[in-house]
Amino acid sequence: MKSWYLLGAALFLTACGGGGSSDRAAPVPAAGPTVKFFPANNGVNNFQLWKTDGTAAGTSMVKVINTGENADIEVLGSLGDKTVFLANDGIHGKELWVTDGTEAGTNLLKDIHVGASSTFIPSFAIAGNTLYFGAYDAVNGTELWKTDGTAAGTVMVKDIQPGANADGVSSLVSMGGSVFFSANDGTASYELWKTDGTAAGTVMVVEIAPGPLSSGISEMISVDGMLYFRASDGTSGVELWKSDGTAAGTEQIKDIAAGASSSSPNNLVAMGGNVYFIAAESTGQGNELWRTDGTEAGTVLVKNINPVVNNSSINNSSSKIRYLNALDDKLYFTARPDPTGNVNEVWVSDGSEAGTLPLFDADNVHYLMSTGKAILFSGWDVTNGHAMWTTDGTVAGTVFLKDIEPGAADTDFYALGEAYFRENDARPLVEVLPGVALIAAYRSDIGVELWKTDGTAAGTQLIKDINPDQGNGFDL
């Protein structure tokens, strides 16, 4: 089973009508399917670029990029009618490509690390119609780049750390038309930076850790005009910080693990104006669920799910929370309440201790995802083995949904975006329609293939058997 981590929420469409009290809102036409790109293996060409609109007829190979070899594709994001991705054609290494969905319109965008060597893009963000990313070449090291989907518009924004040894542009996130990121200018080490897309407008926001010390910024998300991230000032350990994009508006929210110890907040997820995350107040408590409203007083432990104290390590004392998903003002995840039993349960939280409850306690719940309208997870019962279950946040509404592999044999599935898409770092869920997510799923007679689900049994359907018979169109 893939143990990919799912962060982020789905895209919801809202519509409103105008006019006076006697007016009626004009009907809003249903959104049409969007075309999504992904790598797949048809059994002949190895992994190449494919596309789908969620139908069998609309699912096809776009182009053989690397003849006979794996093209090693990673989708970065869409800029209007163009999609930017990484691929290896066997000549230029793994580099930046662009596609409009046609074979003729799928081309190398820029050979950033010139020659047969590959570039490396650790992080990226989209602001407006521009994709910003950190990329490596042999002359400049890893620096900040941008692209508008054209070769001429794919350029380095700024040489932040001159020389070939530049080694840090990461954790990119967009907020208010700017892109914020962690960078090392060779003097201040890794600190908070921002860019407006120009060299002059690419500047360090603040030096959190003085001198050569690194603040180690990571886990950065944007919520309601505020950045939340983890960082160290060199004194308080790795703790939770926030920034409004100015030096004066950048501060530590709370020293959760008091003193030089680190609470190491991670897996930040926004819900209802708060940010939820996993952190360890102490070795005895271990990693548990916390929330913050951006104030010290409002940064609190939600619930100590695993009350068993084992001071030998944070891991042994923790509830091992995974697969955090926010949907309709509820947070869903898997956790273990007792490490001696090593039982993974499905939990739900409304942000309060009393409202943080187990929903499904069968052993080996090892995956959970959102379709944007429903929560799905891999649950077990004696009749169906591991199969697809769903929950509405209540015990009564936590029920068996569909057995893709009939009988007691196990079904395996995961959100396709977790493995193959990076449309942004916080939302690997990929929808062809609002609330209709792409998944890869295993059935013994066809192998691992492309499916879609809207969170219902009838709406969970095979799209196409890409690699015929029992061949796998995807890795699992």
Side-chain angles (χ1 to χ4, degrees):
M1 164 64 69
K2 291 269 188 185
S3 297
W4 303 93
Y5 191 82
L6 183 61
L7 301 173
L11 176 65
F12 291 91
L13 299 181
T14 59
C16 60
S21 59
S22 62
D23 292 340
R24 298 181 63 184
V28 178
T34 55
V35 175
K36 296 297 182 179
F37 298 87
F38 58 95
N41 183 354
N42 63 4
V44 177
N45 302 110
N46 211 311
F47 283 91
Q48 305 297 334
L49 184 68
W50 284 65
K51 66 179 180 181
T52 186
D53 63 1
T55 68
T59 302
S60 62
M61 186 167 64
V62 179
K63 185 170 185 171
V64 176
I65 292 174
N66 193 337
T67 305
E69 300 293 335
N70 184 354
D72 199 12
I73 290 163
E74 288 182 80
V75 177
L76 301 184
S78 298
L79 303 173
D81 59 357
K82 299 176 182 177
T83 294
V84 179
F85 62 100
L86 288 166
N88 187 341
D89 63 1
I91 299 171
H92 300 94
K94 190 170 183 177
E95 294 291 345
L96 209 60
W97 284 63
V98 66
T99 184
D100 63 3
T102 68
E103 183 175 11
T106 302
N107 298 293
L108 178 69
L109 184 58
K110 184 92 172 184
D111 188 6
I112 294 174
H113 190 179
V114 178
S117 298
S118 300
T119 191
F120 173 64
I121 296 180
S123 183
F124 60 92
I126 295 176
N129 203 37
T130 302
L131 176 73
Y132 294 84
F133 55 97
Y136 173 83
D137 69 40
V139 176
N140 301 293
T142 302
E143 293 292 353
L144 182 67
W145 287 67
K146 68 178 181 179
T147 184
D148 61 3
T150 68
T154 303
V155 296
M156 186 169 68
V157 178
K158 185 170 183 173
D159 190 0
I160 294 172
Q161 183 180 348
N165 294 323
D167 59 356
V169 172
S170 62
S171 300
L172 278 72
V173 63
S174 60
M175 184 178 78
S178 296
V179 170
F180 293 81
F181 57 97
S182 171
N184 181 355
D185 65 3
T187 302
S189 195
Y190 294 92
E191 297 295 347
L192 182 63
W193 285 65
K194 66 180 178 181
T195 185
D196 62 3
T198 69
T202 302
V203 296
M204 185 168 66
V205 175
V206 65
E207 187 176 2
I208 292 174
L213 296 176
S214 169
S215 66
I217 291 171
S218 62
E219 299 279 340
M220 190 151 55
I221 65 170
S222 169
V223 182
D224 298 331
M226 188 70 68
L227 296 171
Y228 293 83
F229 55 93
R230 70 184 224 171
S232 172
D233 61 5
T235 303
S236 303
V238 180
E239 296 295 345
L240 189 66
W241 286 66
K242 68 178 182 180
S243 177
D244 63 3
T246 68
T250 304
E251 61 181 353
Q252 184 185 89
I253 299 175
K254 184 172 184 174
D255 189 6
I256 295 173
S261 298
S262 298
S263 68
S264 301
N266 61 88
N267 297 322
L268 278 63
V269 176
M271 185 183 77
N274 291 317
V275 174
Y276 292 79
F277 58 98
I278 302 166
E281 189 173 35
S282 66
T283 302
Q285 183 190 87
N287 285 307
E288 294 293 343
L289 183 64
W290 287 69
R291 76 165 192 269
T292 185
D293 62 4
T295 68
E296 182 176 9
T299 303
V300 296
L301 174 70
V302 176
K303 187 176 184 110
N304 187 4
I305 293 173
N306 171 26
V308 178
V309 175
N310 185 333
N311 285 302
S312 63
S313 74
I314 287 175
N315 186 56
N316 286 339
S317 296
S318 78
S319 61
K320 285 193 174 180
I321 294 170
R322 301 179 69 190
Y323 309 118
L324 286 172
N325 281 263
L327 181 65
D328 296 338
D329 294 324
K330 291 180 181 178
L331 195 69
Y332 298 85
F333 53 93
T334 65
R336 60 170 191 176
D338 182 352
T340 61
N342 200 31
V343 174
N344 292 318
E345 300 178 343
V346 174
W347 283 66
V348 66
S349 178
D350 62 4
S352 69
E353 182 176 15
T356 303
L357 303 163
L359 297 173
F360 186 90
D361 62 0
D363 196 4
N364 292 326
V365 174
H366 48 238
Y367 183 67
L368 184 150
M369 65 169 283
S370 170
T371 68
K373 291 184 178 179
I375 295 294
L376 306 178
F377 65 94
S378 174
W380 183 90
D381 67 20
V382 68
T383 302
N384 302 292
H386 275 105
M388 188 180 287
W389 287 62
T390 187
T391 181
D392 63 1
T394 68
V395 173
T398 302
V399 296
F400 169 79
L401 180 67
K402 184 161 185 168
D403 196 6
I404 292 175
E405 174 71 14
D410 291 343
T411 290
D412 212 358
F413 70 95
Y414 61 94
L416 194 63
E418 298 174 56
Y420 296 130
F421 292 80
R422 302 196 317 181
E423 294 204 351
N424 64 49
D425 286 342
R427 209 196 85 184
L429 178 67
V430 179
E431 299 167 300
V432 289
L433 284 167
V436 180
L438 296 176
I439 62 173
Y442 171 79
R443 203 174 73 195
S444 59
D445 61 330
I446 59 173
V448 184
E449 294 297 345
L450 184 65
W451 292 64
K452 63 183 176 183
T453 181
D454 62 2
T456 68
T460 302
Q461 303 171 352
L462 174 70
I463 296 176
K464 188 163 188 170
D465 186 1
I466 292 173
N467 193 338
D469 301 321
Q470 294 177 307
N472 293 329
F474 305 92
D475 291 328
L476 192 64

